[in-house]
Amino acid sequence: QVQLVESGGGLVQPGGSLRLSCQASGFSLDYYAIGWFRQAPGKEREGVACIIREGGSEYADSVKDRVTISRDATKTTVYLQMNSLKPEDTGVYYCAKDAVPRRGCTLMESTFHSWGQGTQVTVSS
């Protein structure tokens, strides 16, 4: 059974950092991309970053240069390191598993079919 569990969210001041974790089980990270998405209050969910086995990754323009996605296949965990956080980064962050094996990854929400419960990130002074 596919399961994704996010952790690492919290309250941080602007300019601070957080590292989110996505613990995956029930499938292999070697074959499926993992994406991080976020949803701010009153807004639609948007893609943040995704990663695939060969190290390929994609980032949303809004977070590029501030966010790094990485994976640890041994521990079946995908991380999202977020630096220089801004108030507009506030939201619930979800990780998700791609529906099918692919060569690359995209930030299209429709391609991801298994989701975690989310972790809250609040950037505020």
Side-chain angles (χ1 to χ4, degrees):
Q1 181 179 358
V2 172
Q3 190 172 15
L4 299 163
V5 180
E6 302 95 335
S7 62
L11 173 64
V12 62
Q13 292 186 343
S17 298
L18 278 177
R19 189 177 80 158
L20 306 183
S21 298
C22 174
Q23 177 69 45
S25 60
F27 67 99
S28 174
L29 288 180
D30 285 345
Y31 301 108
Y32 294 90
I34 293 292
W36 278 98
F37 294 79
R38 66 186 181 188
Q39 187 166 22
K43 295 187 177 181
E44 294 186 353
R45 190 156 55 187
E46 63 175 356
V48 177
C50 63
I51 190 167
I52 190 68
R53 175 181 58 156
E54 292 83 9
S57 58
E58 293 288 337
Y59 295 91
D61 289 341
S62 60
V63 303
K64 205 170 289 185
D65 299 328
R66 298 189 297 120
V67 166
T68 302
I69 190 170
S70 62
R71 61 188 287 271
D72 184 335
T74 301
K75 297 182 178 180
T76 65
T77 302
V78 173
Y79 302 99
L80 189 71
Q81 176 68 45
M82 303 189 294
N83 302 320
S84 303
L85 283 163
K86 305 175 181 180
E88 50 263 44
D89 295 317
T90 294
V92 179
Y93 283 68
Y94 302 90
C95 65
K97 168 187 168 292
D98 201 337
V100 298
R102 303 178 201 274
R103 287 186 177 274
C105 70
T106 74
L107 296 179
M108 291 179 59
E109 184 175 338
S110 60
T111 66
F112 293 85
H113 285 198
S114 298
W115 295 80
Q117 82 290 348
T119 185
Q120 175 70 45
V121 171
T122 303
V123 184
S124 175
S125 55

